[in-house]
Amino acid sequence: MSIKHSLLALLQESPRYGYQLRGEFEERTGSTWPLNIGQVYTTLDRLERDELVEKDGDDGEGHVIYSITAAGRAEVMSWFAQPVAASNPPRNELAIKLALALTLADVDVPAVVQAQRTASMRLLQDYTRQRRAAASNAGTQLSRDPGTGDPKDAAWLLVLDSLIFTTEAELRWLDHCEGWMAKRNREAHASDSASRKQGNRHLPDGSR
């Protein structure tokens, strides 16, 4: 997640201080990725150093206001124009867990898959409920037709869609893993049976 570009995007709309930036970010993304306020101000310091933002006085209550510079506007517009680079796959704890579980004799891998499926189904149901509420607030239907509601609700709707699609993909992957493991076990069992039969053919008649 690019905190730098997210803050620049919000400052492009209007000057703000740190707590306002954090609040706006979390409101527009449904607090899906909470920001630490220290992280916000550290990023603002770096943006000021790089001349992408500048201090613009205060609000009279001790909060330093930041505004975007021309260079900052160019930077954020370039960010919006460029696709998100995915040169390295993100670390997936579930994939790592299953990969390791398959290599360990004392781990019940099907139980691991089933536990995750149950949790993911509950999460998907929760996201779907939240989406219904967000769709109503944004003035849209579940068909994803454009509406005329609050743009911030519409933004949260898009985030929820991303979470729903990601969770659905995870459930499909778990189904794939379960099917693959079942096939692997059947093939291993068939191979063992064939080996036993082959071995029996070479035993003397009295020892069979």
Side-chain angles (χ1 to χ4, degrees), residues 17 58-63:
Y17 57 82
D58 61 55
D59 65 348
E61 296 182 1
H63 298 114

Side-chain angles (χ1 to χ4, degrees), residues 95-106:
I96 293 171
K97 179 190 288 189
L98 286 181
L100 291 174
L102 279 170
T103 68
L104 300 173
D106 57 346

Side-chain angles (χ1 to χ4, degrees), residues 9-131:
L10 291 170
L11 288 172
Q12 182 176 238
E13 186 177 56
S14 67
R16 292 183 169 97
Y17 57 82
Y19 279 94
Q20 287 177 323
L21 288 165
R22 183 181 71 169
E24 286 290 334
F25 176 84
E26 293 184 353
E27 181 179 358
R28 298 182 195 208
T29 60
S31 297
T32 306
W33 302 282
L35 289 182
N36 179 286
I37 191 60
Q39 194 174 22
V40 171
Y41 278 108
T42 297
T43 303
L44 286 171
D45 287 342
R46 291 173 181 164
L47 291 172
E48 184 184 20
R49 178 200 64 195
D50 296 338
E51 299 183 345
L52 299 176
V53 305
E54 60 188 6
K55 291 177 181 174
D56 196 11
D58 61 55
D59 65 348
E61 296 182 1
H63 298 114
V64 177
I65 302 293
Y66 291 85
S67 61
I68 194 168
T69 64
R73 289 182 184 278
E75 175 71 21
V76 75
M77 293 312 295
S78 175
W79 179 61
F80 280 123
Q82 298 298 319
V84 175
S87 55
N88 294 315
R91 184 176 299 171
N92 186 318
E93 182 179 352
L94 177 57
I96 293 171
K97 179 190 288 189
L98 286 181
L100 291 174
L102 279 170
T103 68
L104 300 173
D106 57 346
V107 178
D108 186 347
V109 182
V112 174
V113 171
Q114 185 55 44
Q116 186 62 47
R117 180 187 286 109
T118 300
S120 297
M121 281 298 302
R122 288 174 181 163
L123 191 61
L124 181 60
Q125 291 167 356
D126 184 48
Y127 288 151
T128 302
R129 282 193 294 270
Q130 291 184 60
R131 194 192 188 285

Side-chain angles (χ1 to χ4, degrees), residues 142-163:
L142 289 175
S143 62
R144 299 178 177 84
D145 292 333
T148 57
D150 189 333
K152 293 180 182 179
D153 289 319
W156 172 221
L157 196 64
L158 292 180
V159 171
L160 280 169
D161 281 341
S162 174
L163 295 172

